[in-house]
Amino acid sequence: MTHTPHAPLNLLFAATTAAVLSLPALAQPAGMLEEVIVTAQKRAEDLQDTAIAISSISSAAMDDLNINNSEDYEAIVPSLSVRTSPNRLFLRGIGRVTNSLGTEPGVAVYLDQIYTSEIGVLGRASSLTTQQVDVLRGPQGTLFGRNATGGAVSVTSKRPTEEFEHELRATGGNYGTFNWGGASSGPITDGLGYRVYAYGDSHDGYVKNQGGKDIFDEDHTGFGAQLSWDATDKLNIWLSWASDRTDDIRSGVNFGGYLITPYQPALKTQDGFLYSEQYQWDRVNPAVKDRYKVDQNDELRTKDFNNNKYITHITWDLDDVTAKYIGGYFDGDYTAKNGDLGNTSNPDVRVVEGAEQNSRSYSHELQLISADDGPLQWVTGLYYYHQEVEQPYTIASLQADYLANTVPADDYYNKAAVQPNLNPRDHWQYWQNGDLEVDSYAAYADANYTFNESWKLTAGIRYSYDEKEGTEANYIVADPNAVPGASALFPVWAALGFPADCCGFLSADPALNTRKIDDDWSNVSGRAVIDYMYSDDQMLYASVSTGYKAGGFRLGSLQENPSFDPEEVTSYEIGYKGTYADVLRVNAAAYFYDYSDMQVLVPYLNDVNLPVSEIVNADKAEIKGFEVEATWLATENLTLMANYSYIDGEYTEFCCALDTIADPDSTQEIDLSGNPLTQSPENKIFTNASYSWRTDTMGEFVLSGSYSWVDERQYDVFNTNDTLADSYYRVDASLTWFSTAEEFRVILSGKNLTGEETWVSLNRLNEFGAISGYANEPLTYSLEVQYFF
């Protein structure tokens, strides 16, 4: 649904302008906005004193705004775009274009200062486990470094407490929602504290499946334990272990959703490689008329298991310097089985896909941080990161018994050349595997000098070196029913004594189709910031910063051009941060990005006409934008929040690419210069009003309502109408009750109360106009009870 932003835009700007213009006359309520502390520059600082565009969401705000998945952050954080299947983050038009092995994100995610390439830690962050989520916008090439061209998301866990604190919680809602959780924290002995927690979140699928289990059924569990030990009055050791498990029902590995266009029963094959499930299938695809209905008999079951995160912080406070070691080890095993590639409930033709990922990574970082009160403050550090990942992927035709044996595509009549399928039971038609090892090294230094009460200069530099080594192999078997004229071979094979029900055409043998690739890259990035405090509570700043993302190679499919170069961005930003009468906080930033060699995903059809993608470098891109955030404690009881962001990003020099999905035989390359960046809505708005009232006998009540609007966004670099998602808005509300002693909290909440619908993923699949996608979450409601003791 398209919804005009003009009315809320005018309201937002009018409210902000009116508030600012009337500041001298503001009467201060009997309260003030809470101070927000962030560690964006590796030390604890007031948000309003930090010359970086940051949105900070506290544990309390997660409850107040009903945040319980990564998509909820999209509404609240300016310039943030989130895609959850597959998981991808974009900030100011920069993000992760593919999850394929050998590629990297453009937004770095950190859990307790440990880098991860996955956004799962953001989606699983909750008020039970998380102290704060900070979203840093703009290149963070100096202090965060690795893959932070778009920005960084820092998730900080709750820590052990000095006094005993315990809580239990339970939630019920529509779609069979049932969540539970518990945490305990406190001292063990003098100087030694603990924290433990456990939780479970589950709900039924909101996409109804006529042929099997409903889609987007989710079941998550998590456990964690921490120890914090003050070994001396200057030495602290913090140890953390966290483990997450998921068991979800989804749809599609490679195609990002389910089929949303009509079935094509007249086509025996849609790619000349797979026998089509839709061939002579006379049912109607229900997703064409209702985006919350599908009809398929092999839904995708995904599991995360053996997913552990071990983190250590050792902090040693010396007289004038703090030495800190940050170490982490993450492992994870992921499986995705029986994804219905044909998107039908046809029992006779079942083409399914599956994937796995097994990953291990560890990192070490040593920091030295100044700890005196002088005008010069600095931090320097050394960093090392290592990752090992294996990522196999398969397509199988379960009912095609004739594929149990294969014959080489160039030796059709040789009975001696017949060999069993690589997986005779499941009849693999496609298999690929990739193994990747990554080593990353960095050294950095960052310092700021305060000249007087008004002026401060910050400068930083980072040297990065990245090395990648990869191995890939694949296996391809074409179905003879999908190859024109191949049926003429069947009587010949029978006469030559070939096995019964024979054969698939072996087009690629992993014994031969194997390749090793390795490369390395280095970069020097930095920043310079000048900020001017023209009053105690108001600051202007200007910055120039650079970011870098290593090159790589897309492993698994043995592409003709698998490698791509590093990308670099130079950012110019001016910003304002102001607090008025301790009741109104207004932060704004305007920026311009000059991008070189941006890594871009270009979809195409491979040798067997499967839709895949290639990473290429767009020579030049430009992004300019504006953001404003405001929080106003209008009265002691009423708090108003609003933010707006504008992104204008395009490829300025990007020539050229073949659109083989639109026309497989095309030889005419298309100049993509001028096309908009993908997954980057031009406008976004968020507003929230929260009113609280306290009673002497019944406790406190808080009524909160939010309105968010997201502009249309493009999901394909070719800028097609089929992959342009409409704008949409969302209305959320909650009513919270605190008992008089505040040991109980009850939250009644609802999301998307008006039931607005949009596509949050769109992908072109073939020359016949097939499109896959998936819908946003429908209206949901829940009741949560929290007990503190």
Side-chain angles (χ1 to χ4, degrees), residues 420-668:
N421 190 295
L422 196 61
N423 188 326
R425 184 190 65 180
D426 290 338
H427 314 130
W428 282 356
Q429 288 198 251
Y430 185 86
W431 169 88
Q432 71 174 46
N433 190 42
D435 289 281
L436 177 71
E437 285 196 22
V438 178
D439 287 289
S440 182
Y441 308 82
Y444 61 89
D446 192 87
N448 61 71
Y449 186 81
T450 303
F451 296 98
N452 50 46
E453 293 181 354
S454 300
W455 292 94
K456 181 168 68 176
L457 174 67
T458 301
I461 190 170
R462 186 184 189 104
Y463 171 78
S464 300
Y465 174 80
D466 291 279
E467 184 178 40
K468 295 183 180 180
E469 296 182 0
T471 302
E472 58 180 342
N474 67 12
Y475 174 75
I476 302 173
V477 176
D479 191 321
N481 289 299
V483 179
S487 59
L489 289 170
F490 297 160
V492 176
W493 286 342
L496 292 174
F498 276 50
D501 290 333
C502 190
C503 292
F505 295 149
L506 180 60
S507 302
D509 189 332
L512 303 174
N513 278 41
T514 302
R515 179 170 61 185
K516 293 185 177 180
I517 313 175
D518 63 84
D519 209 341
D520 59 84
W521 309 268
S522 62
N523 175 267
V524 176
S525 56
R527 67 169 182 155
V529 187
I530 185 76
D531 59 82
Y532 172 54
M533 296 287 298
Y534 62 91
S535 75
D536 289 342
D537 297 312
Q538 297 180 74
M539 176 178 70
L540 293 171
Y541 68 87
S543 69
V544 179
S545 59
T546 61
Y548 148 84
K549 185 165 72 170
F553 22 80
R554 197 172 186 274
L555 292 174
S557 56
L558 274 78
Q559 292 181 342
E560 182 177 353
N561 300 302
S563 300
F564 47 89
D565 295 330
E567 63 178 31
E568 297 181 7
V569 60
T570 300
S571 166
Y572 306 89
E573 182 170 328
I574 57 174
Y576 165 81
K577 293 192 173 187
T579 305
Y580 301 89
D582 291 326
V583 297
L584 175 63
R585 181 186 299 129
V586 180
N587 295 340
Y591 58 89
F592 174 78
Y593 289 176
D594 184 6
Y595 231 108
S596 300
D597 293 321
M598 175 179 272
Q599 296 165 10
V600 180
L601 187 72
V602 176
Y604 74 99
L605 299 179
N606 66 7
D607 293 341
V608 292
N609 288 316
L610 282 175
V612 292
S613 54
E614 180 181 6
I615 302 290
V616 302
N617 294 96
D619 291 335
K620 297 288 184 182
E622 291 182 356
I623 309 171
K624 51 183 176 289
F626 171 75
E627 302 155 347
V628 60
E629 296 179 276
T631 303
W632 182 22
L633 184 59
T635 71
E636 185 178 2
N637 304 99
L638 177 63
T639 301
L640 302 176
M641 298 173 59
N643 67 56
Y644 166 75
S645 59
Y646 168 79
I647 302 174
D648 179 13
E650 66 175 32
Y651 309 107
T652 53
E653 295 182 24
F654 190 8
C655 184
C656 293
L658 286 173
D659 188 0
T660 58
I661 294 182
D663 180 5
D665 299 321
S666 173
T667 58
Q668 182 65 45

Side-chain angles (χ1 to χ4, degrees), residues 255-267:
F255 301 152
Y258 42 86
L259 187 69
I260 65 175
T261 46
Y263 293 148
Q264 300 178 62
L267 296 176

